Amino acid sequence: MVTPITGCWIDGTFGAGGYSRALLQNGACQVIAIDKDPTTKVFLHSIQNEYGDMIKFYNQSYADMEKNDDIAGRDDICGVVLDLGVSSMHLDNPLRGFSFRESGPLDMRMGDQPGPTAFEIINLCSETTLADLIFFYGQERKARKIANRIVKERKKRKINTTLELAEIVRAIVSKNSNKDPATRTFQAIRIAVNNELRDLSKALIFAERIVKKGGIIAIVTFHSLEDKMVKDFGKLMSGNASTTNRYSPPSSKTYPSLIPVNKKPVVAAIDEIDRNKRARSAKLRVFTKVSNGPSRVLEKIEFPEVDLGI
Ligand SMILES: C[S@@+](CC[C@H](N)C(=O)[O-])C[C@H]1O[C@@H](n2cnc3c(N)ncnc32)[C@H](O)[C@@H]1O
């Protein structure tokens, strides 16, 4: 059973503030809200009008939580929530470059980091890098063909817009479900632009250290790469992970630091999916911290890493 919400929580993906508001409405005394995207700050004011300085906002990456003076060194953090990925504000504004439905510049940066942008990746990365990236981050079987076509097209002229990229992919991947054929390729490029897997790895490791005994870590993922990382992390921290390689020495005995609240991830009910289509791919995993220290010191969670080479 999950303990009631109390004390100080970190909402690492503030977005439009829905989770922060819900935490305050349900018993949190303080919320430290973080978002990489500075434009999300507009949603802070209405929450502040109601809750005053019970909410604080920081425009930073959740990967850098440990550098936040309001968080570092605290021993009273009761929970960390991460609702990963892009928001509808990103998808619905073609100028941000995430949409394959409407034309926009190939950008895809969630924050105001200098780059690389999607344009730079698509127009400058080698064919092999593009193929690896689309294969590993997009889990797209036709990655090599797509990369080859991108390189052929960009020899004729620069690929400038989201629709140009989407058309290249649609010429190769046939539509066989209710997903646009460009979905996986766009996911791959977005993950690369925003360093999403590296950031998630850092955030999970830090969240496990900062949350106090009895506290909660709740993560909502939207694709299987993220979900696998969260699941593997939970296994390692619950002391249940088997050795990754049968030739490696057995791991030393570890004590659980996190235990999963649910055996299986929580998924959205049909009526929620009717209201919000994005929820159909959402998976929620919740862990409770059961010790004062980590079960093992993790430097990094394994994930496929593609060097952009640009
Ligand atoms: C799915 S939305 C969150 C929606 C939010 N839970 C709500 O109730 O409105 C994800 C948010 O996380 C932010 N984000 C993505 N990666 C981030 C990172 N590394 N650090 C901080 N924020 C990030 C995005 O800018 C976006 O606003």
Side-chain angles (χ1 to χ4, degrees):
M1 201 192 79
V2 182
T3 43
I5 293 168
T6 55
C8 178
W9 281 64
I10 300 172
D11 175 1
T13 51
F14 177 70
Y19 281 33
S20 288
R21 184 183 286 280
L23 286 166
L24 289 164
Q25 277 167 346
N26 287 283
C29 304
Q30 196 193 3
V31 170
I32 299 172
I34 289 173
D35 205 292
K36 199 172 180 175
D37 184 342
T39 67
T40 58
K41 200 173 173 190
V42 294
F43 297 101
L44 182 65
H45 306 303
S46 76
I47 306 181
Q48 267 176 337
N49 284 342
E50 234 176 295
Y51 293 97
D53 60 10
M54 286 166 76
I55 182 156
K56 284 189 179 160
F57 175 85
Y58 294 94
N59 174 217
Q60 62 167 117
S61 169
Y62 51 63
D64 297 326
M65 281 188 283
E66 62 189 314
K67 295 187 196 145
N68 183 318
D69 289 340
D70 217 3
I71 297 176
R74 284 180 79 144
D75 58 7
D76 62 343
I77 301 293
C78 293
V80 174
V81 288
L82 297 177
D83 177 19
L84 299 174
V86 275
S87 66
S88 16
M89 288 171 304
H90 291 138
L91 295 169
D92 296 345
N93 179 355
L95 293 177
R96 299 294 300 263
F98 293 96
S99 170
F100 42 72
R101 295 205 174 85
E102 284 177 85
S103 190
L106 273 173
D107 191 324
M108 299 197 195
R109 284 170 300 171
M110 285 187 201
D112 46 13
Q113 72 262 30
T117 60
F119 174 85
E120 286 162 329
I121 292 180
I122 291 296
N123 287 285
L124 299 177
C125 282
S126 70
E127 184 175 333
T128 313
T129 303
L130 282 172
D132 286 350
L133 201 145
I134 297 168
F135 182 76
F136 288 115
Y137 295 168
Q139 298 171 301
E140 170 60 71
R141 283 188 299 117
K142 299 221 168 129
R144 306 238 161 259
K145 281 193 175 162
I146 296 170
N148 181 269
R149 184 68 70 94
I150 289 173
V151 170
K152 273 193 186 134
E153 291 298 323
R154 79 187 188 193
K155 277 186 187 148
K156 296 183 218 156
R157 51 170 173 75
K158 292 241 177 307
I159 301 164
N160 284 306
T161 69
T162 53
L163 273 196
E164 284 166 25
L165 176 61
E167 286 309 323
I168 291 172
V169 182
R170 286 175 191 142
I172 292 178
V173 184
S174 47
K175 191 171 165 64
N176 59 4
S177 70
N178 52 2
K179 268 192 185 168
D180 189 294
T183 307
R184 289 174 181 277
T185 301
F186 271 62
Q187 171 187 304
I189 308 296
R190 194 200 84 202
I191 289 176
V193 168
N194 295 289
N195 247 317
E196 291 181 34
L197 301 180
R198 185 212 57 187
D199 282 5
L200 177 59
S201 160
K202 286 177 93 175
L204 289 172
I205 291 169
F206 181 72
E208 190 271 345
R209 284 188 201 143
I210 198 73
V211 165
K212 70 175 198 176
K213 188 175 175 182
I216 294 289
I217 298 177
I219 317 284
V220 180
T221 63
F222 287 88
H223 55 77
S224 55
L225 275 179
E226 285 171 347
D227 185 56
K228 183 172 180 328
M229 278 179 76
V230 177
K231 186 174 152 190
D232 289 352
F233 173 73
K235 273 194 189 158
L236 273 170
M237 288 304 170
S238 65
N240 278 332
S242 54
T243 48
T244 48
N245 179 333
R246 67 193 164 111
Y247 300 109
S248 63
S251 58
S252 55
K253 173 136 184 65
T254 56
Y255 296 93
S257 154
L258 297 178
I259 51 164
V261 170
N262 309 95
K263 275 203 175 127
K264 299 227 155 153
V266 180
V267 294
I270 307 270
D271 59 331
E272 189 176 350
I273 297 173
D274 283 345
R275 275 182 276 121
N276 171 14
K277 287 261 175 301
R278 263 196 94 223
R280 71 181 169 207
S281 3
K283 284 187 178 165
L284 165 69
R285 292 188 189 266
V286 185
F287 305 96
T288 308
K289 177 117 174 227
V290 290
S291 75
N292 283 317
S295 66
R296 56 174 85 192
V297 178
L298 267 189
E299 289 303 321
K300 189 180 152 202
I301 304 165
E302 287 309 315
F303 60 88
E305 249 179 305
V306 181
D307 180 0
L308 297 181
I310 52 173

